[in-house]
Amino acid sequence: MQFEAPTIPPFDHHAANDARNRQNALTKPAGSLGRLEEISIQIAGIQGNPRPVVDKKSVIIMAADHGVCAEGVSAYPAEVTPMMVKGFLQGKAAINAISRYAEASVRVVDIGVNYHFPDDHGLDHCKVAYGTANMTEGPAMTPEQCLKAIRIGMQIAEEEARDGVRLIATGEMGIGNTTASSAIISCITGLPAASVTGRGTGVDNDGLNRKVAAINKAITVNQPDPCDPLDVLTKVGGLEIAGLVGVILGAARNRIPVVVDGLISSAAALVAYELYPEVRLFLLAGHQSVEIGQQAVLERIGIKPILDLNLRLGEGTGAALAFNIIDAACRVLNEMATFTEAGIATSA
Amino acid sequence: MQFEAPTIPPFDHHAANDARNRQNALTKPAGSLGRLEEISIQIAGIQGNPRPVVDKKSVIIMAADHGVCAEGVSAYPAEVTPMMVKGFLQGKAAINAISRYAEASVRVVDIGVNYHFPDDHGLDHCKVAYGTANMTEGPAMTPEQCLKAIRIGMQIAEEEARDGVRLIATGEMGIGNTTASSAIISCITGLPAASVTGRGTGVDNDGLNRKVAAINKAITVNQPDPCDPLDVLTKVGGLEIAGLVGVILGAARNRIPVVVDGLISSAAALVAYELYPEVRLFLLAGHQSVEIGQQAVLERIGIKPILDLNLRLGEGTGAALAFNIIDAACRVLNEMATFTEAGIATSA
């Protein structure tokens, strides 16, 4: 399977160093703002601006359904996917409340929901298919579907960039998508399915066993090549995960920092990273999810979560919460006085 | 030493239970928003409102100097205290940038700075003394000074309550105040000074040794009674710490949740808690500080930090950052639809 490579610009170490020097000159002990300082320096390097600004923020929610739901892997029926999409459009879901607080827009994309949305205001109609096929019986997607979903995500990131968005969060909705995500993570990392699979929306022990069994069966049936991330994504992934791979690559191409949410978003980040390792410096991990598979991804990519609030909802909620920390970090860098500006002598 | 007891109202378990029931009915798997859910439920119980709101927020910065600076316990000269106070008033410090982002007001109180502020706009002139005495040679404060500082803090919290403030963060500035704070914590917890003393603004190993030696000497010289928190506060504390004890008690009396910042604020919270254990439910820990003594306090009180960002600046920065998470938590509770409202059936 071929994939047209996006040109990811180099991380701007000059801008990052300028930001670091300014952090060290601000009226505070050097390093005393810890992660805030690191975050502002990283954003400076991504944007290529020593005084980075993240005023315009966007959460991209990719929604899709999963054929693997037939294996009883979720606590909720698949019909909840379109219902939650309607909730996003009505502004009534958790991600809406959190995004309003962070002054971030929410873009909802139907990239593969098993439901026909006729005239839902505000929905991006980009349906590639009415859900994936059941990956325990064969590939979840065709290679063409997978590539199409990635391209849609890249296109959406391009549009956001043209709209002046300077910070993007990855969000998703799709009953069954923790199973697909854990399958991707298990394949690529080589870790046993059981060690990267959690309870998702809250399945009981039997449900958890069904998830692990479905993942193992899907891997056995499809034999995805762990060294070919697109093969893995196609065979055991999902349309919203592929879409988020595209969002991540498209954002990086436009020097937009991407805040990765929980397990599903991290699975997408893993695929993007395996395809283009240079994407790493454009990624921030919004939070440490309860879902155990996420940690394996963050460790492999080498990024540290900003928040740790025992979240396991998805939708982009943890990433949108982290928007607040990232924005505050950039404002501190921009708005604080240096010791020289403030006329304060230091003993250092 | 006598102390007029504030009447701390009971935590409203009825309002908290109503909030919990609503959290469990919202369109998300129950518990999937983790700490956000817990925070909103706690705020409901504090405010006595099942739909809590924290729209008006305030950071109270108590500033004071410390005689113990003569022992070489800080990387910065004491003259930095008034200079930083001026920076707060000019809106140029980290706490200003972070508070602006969180839409919180910043109230700066001179409760004991060793400097005469003639006409600084916006400063609360409440000076009890021009800094504390050197606690290695005798008590840091007189009992009268300590009580006066507590009463000032309570009065300020009363004023904030009358102004409609619904969320308060404790902040402070005072070169030398990590030494006083670690002394308080060592006394009350019985932990060795070395195990609750950190590098503060960034002293080297010699400086750290001087801090521990100063604390041990102050405790030997003053013999504070570990079972009498006011005696400890008076003898080895500080005016801004006493002021924050008052802020915490005054806020709790008015059903205002208090977000505790780092080491110094936590030392104040510890004193308030030892005086009135019922204050515990009114406290939130904004963040896990780099300063090791803070963790001992949080464990003793039994509160968990919201953020962990390797901060060690103080000023209220970690608490004001946590304002964003707390506000978002309350908005999620208020703005989300329930499954019934959204017309979504669940399998549960």
Side-chain angles (χ1 to χ4, degrees):
Chain A
M1 187 159 62
Q2 294 280 317
F3 183 73
E4 58 279 21
T7 305
I8 295 177
F11 184 84
D12 188 335
H13 290 283
H14 187 76
N17 279 334
D18 282 356
R20 183 178 291 108
N21 289 337
R22 182 171 172 83
Q23 278 289 4
N24 288 338
L26 297 175
T27 51
K28 59 177 172 54
S32 61
L33 281 178
R35 287 298 305 279
L36 284 201
E37 299 187 18
E38 296 169 15
I39 290 167
S40 70
I41 292 164
Q42 183 184 358
I43 305 287
I46 295 171
Q47 294 189 343
N49 178 4
R51 306 288 282 268
V53 174
V54 293
D55 49 354
K56 193 160 183 183
K57 315 177 190 81
S58 178
V59 180
I60 314 289
I61 302 182
M62 293 275 175
D65 275 304
H66 292 263
V68 74
C69 280
E71 305 301 311
V73 294
S74 179
Y76 290 84
E79 288 72 25
V80 168
T81 302
M83 287 177 170
M84 287 302 299
V85 167
K86 291 176 187 174
F88 300 148
L89 297 173
Q90 290 162 0
K92 289 293 198 179
I95 188 60
N96 300 107
I98 291 170
S99 297
R100 275 192 293 270
Y101 180 75
E103 298 186 350
S105 58
V106 176
R107 186 163 177 177
V108 188
V109 184
D110 170 17
I111 197 160
V113 181
N114 186 19
Y115 178 84
H116 177 65
F117 295 98
D119 54 1
D120 291 87
H121 290 298
L123 180 64
D124 271 65
H125 295 277
C126 303
K127 198 190 294 290
V128 174
Y130 282 78
T132 52
N134 184 343
M135 67 181 183
T136 66
E137 300 170 353
M141 292 176 266
T142 66
E144 292 70 29
Q145 287 174 329
C146 183
L147 286 177
K148 186 173 177 187
I150 293 175
R151 288 192 198 104
I152 287 167
M154 291 179 68
Q155 175 63 30
I156 283 171
E158 292 291 334
E159 291 168 13
E160 296 293 302
R162 279 202 296 275
D163 277 356
V165 165
R166 304 211 240 190
L167 191 61
I168 282 180
T170 58
E172 42 56 48
M173 178 68 216
I175 298 297
N177 66 9
T178 60
T179 301
S181 299
S182 292
I184 290 171
I185 295 165
S186 175
C187 272
I188 291 180
T189 64
L191 293 167
S195 72
V196 294
T197 303
R199 293 177 188 275
T201 49
V203 292
D204 57 15
N205 287 341
D206 285 350
L208 183 58
N209 290 336
R210 286 193 297 270
K211 285 180 75 168
V212 173
I215 292 167
N216 284 329
K217 189 173 174 200
I219 292 173
T220 303
V221 165
N222 292 292
Q223 295 289 317
D225 176 358
C227 299
D228 181 348
L230 288 182
D231 189 54
V232 174
L233 179 63
T234 300
K235 289 174 172 168
V236 301
L239 289 158
E240 78 279 52
I241 302 171
L244 291 180
V245 171
V247 167
I248 291 166
L249 296 176
R253 184 158 74 177
N254 286 283
R255 292 195 166 283
I256 300 175
V258 181
V259 189
V260 178
D261 189 39
L263 180 77
I264 298 99
S265 293
S266 296
L270 177 61
V271 172
Y273 167 74
E274 297 292 326
L275 286 168
Y276 302 101
E278 63 268 37
V279 87
R280 183 177 76 85
L281 291 170
F282 292 80
L283 300 176
L284 296 97
H287 74 118
Q288 173 77 60
S289 167
V290 170
E291 281 283 314
I292 55 173
Q294 190 222 17
Q295 193 166 343
V297 174
L298 300 188
E299 285 171 7
R300 184 173 176 104
I301 299 179
I303 53 177
K304 283 184 298 185
I306 295 172
L307 300 173
D308 186 0
L309 297 168
N310 281 324
L311 308 180
R312 55 181 172 83
L313 177 56
E315 299 180 1
T317 48
L321 277 171
F323 273 179
N324 297 294
I325 306 299
I326 296 164
D327 198 338
C330 293
R331 286 169 192 249
V332 163
L333 178 62
N334 285 314
E335 298 176 16
M336 273 185 77
T338 63
F339 277 107
T340 306
E341 287 163 5
I344 301 179
T346 72
S347 66
Chain B
M1 187 157 64
Q2 293 280 315
F3 184 72
E4 58 279 20
T7 305
I8 295 177
F11 183 84
D12 188 335
H13 290 283
H14 188 75
N17 280 335
D18 283 356
R20 183 177 291 108
N21 288 338
R22 183 170 171 83
Q23 278 289 5
N24 289 338
L26 297 175
T27 50
K28 57 178 173 53
S32 61
L33 281 178
R35 287 296 305 278
L36 284 201
E37 299 187 17
E38 295 169 14
I39 289 167
S40 71
I41 292 164
Q42 183 184 358
I43 305 287
I46 295 171
Q47 293 188 344
N49 178 5
R51 305 288 283 267
V53 174
V54 293
D55 50 354
K56 194 160 181 183
K57 316 179 190 78
S58 177
V59 180
I60 314 288
I61 303 182
M62 293 275 176
D65 275 305
H66 292 263
V68 74
C69 280
E71 305 300 311
V73 294
S74 179
Y76 290 85
E79 288 72 26
V80 168
T81 303
M83 287 176 171
M84 288 302 298
V85 167
K86 290 176 187 173
F88 300 148
L89 297 173
Q90 290 162 359
K92 290 292 197 181
I95 188 60
N96 301 107
I98 292 170
S99 297
R100 274 192 293 270
Y101 180 74
E103 298 187 350
S105 58
V106 176
R107 186 163 177 178
V108 188
V109 184
D110 170 17
I111 198 162
V113 181
N114 186 19
Y115 178 83
H116 176 66
F117 295 99
D119 55 0
D120 291 87
H121 289 298
L123 181 64
D124 270 63
H125 294 277
C126 303
K127 198 190 294 290
V128 173
Y130 282 78
T132 52
N134 184 342
M135 67 181 182
T136 66
E137 299 171 353
M141 292 176 266
T142 66
E144 292 70 29
Q145 287 174 330
C146 183
L147 287 178
K148 188 173 177 187
I150 293 175
R151 289 192 198 104
I152 287 167
M154 291 179 67
Q155 176 62 29
I156 284 170
E158 293 290 333
E159 291 168 13
E160 296 293 303
R162 279 203 295 275
D163 277 357
V165 165
R166 304 210 241 190
L167 191 62
I168 282 180
T170 58
E172 41 57 46
M173 178 68 216
I175 298 297
N177 66 9
T178 60
T179 301
S181 299
S182 292
I184 290 171
I185 296 165
S186 174
C187 272
I188 291 180
T189 64
L191 294 166
S195 73
V196 294
T197 303
R199 292 177 188 274
T201 48
V203 292
D204 57 15
N205 287 341
D206 286 348
L208 183 58
N209 290 336
R210 287 194 296 272
K211 285 181 75 167
V212 172
I215 292 168
N216 284 328
K217 189 173 174 199
I219 293 173
T220 302
V221 165
N222 292 291
Q223 295 290 316
D225 176 359
C227 299
D228 181 348
L230 288 181
D231 190 53
V232 175
L233 178 64
T234 300
K235 289 175 174 168
V236 301
L239 289 158
E240 79 280 50
I241 302 172
L244 291 180
V245 171
V247 167
I248 291 166
L249 296 176
R253 184 159 74 178
N254 286 283
R255 293 194 165 283
I256 300 175
V258 180
V259 189
V260 178
D261 189 38
L263 181 77
I264 297 99
S265 293
S266 296
L270 178 61
V271 172
Y273 167 74
E274 298 292 325
L275 286 167
Y276 303 101
E278 64 268 37
V279 86
R280 183 176 77 86
L281 291 170
F282 293 80
L283 300 176
L284 296 96
H287 74 119
Q288 173 76 60
S289 167
V290 171
E291 281 283 314
I292 55 173
Q294 191 222 18
Q295 194 166 342
V297 174
L298 300 187
E299 285 171 7
R300 184 173 176 103
I301 299 179
I303 52 177
K304 283 184 299 185
I306 295 171
L307 301 173
D308 186 1
L309 297 168
N310 282 323
L311 308 180
R312 55 180 172 84
L313 177 57
E315 300 180 2
T317 48
L321 277 172
F323 273 179
N324 297 294
I325 306 299
I326 296 164
D327 198 339
C330 293
R331 286 169 192 249
V332 163
L333 178 62
N334 286 314
E335 298 176 16
M336 274 184 77
T338 63
F339 277 107
T340 306
E341 288 163 5
I344 302 179
T346 72
S347 65

